[in-house]
Amino acid sequence: MNQDAFQHSIRALLKNVGVNTQQEIEKAVQQAIEEEKLKGNEHLPARVTVEVDGIDLALTFDRDITLE
């Protein structure tokens, strides 16, 4: 196994997930505020699940997203 290639591919995946997820959450929250579904001072429970096929790995992370 090429350790450098392995670590690079993991970092690339996590960067892609992080950037795209942040953008989608920001858009969804802004839309919910505009539609008055949110006031803008909420704490929103969030969950991220990472699964890796071939090694039977599933990780879940929970944390609130605070709007104020």
Side-chain angles (χ1 to χ4, degrees):
M1 175 171 66
N2 181 322
Q3 195 68 27
D4 288 335
F6 175 54
Q7 290 178 0
H8 176 73
S9 67
I10 293 171
R11 285 191 302 270
L13 169 67
L14 294 175
K15 181 178 180 180
N16 183 294
V17 169
V19 169
N20 289 307
T21 302
Q22 180 175 350
Q23 291 172 348
E24 292 301 319
I25 292 169
E26 288 172 351
K27 282 192 255 180
V29 166
Q30 186 60 43
Q31 182 176 349
I33 290 171
E34 289 170 5
E35 295 173 357
E36 298 182 353
K37 294 178 181 176
L38 293 175
K39 294 178 183 175
N41 60 354
E42 290 86 355
H43 294 259
L44 307 172
R47 180 177 315 99
V48 174
T49 301
V50 177
E51 297 180 8
V52 180
D53 296 336
I55 58 172
D56 194 31
L57 177 68
L59 304 169
T60 301
F61 302 93
D62 295 292
R63 184 152 186 173
D64 282 356
I65 296 172
T66 57
L67 304 184
E68 189 170 274

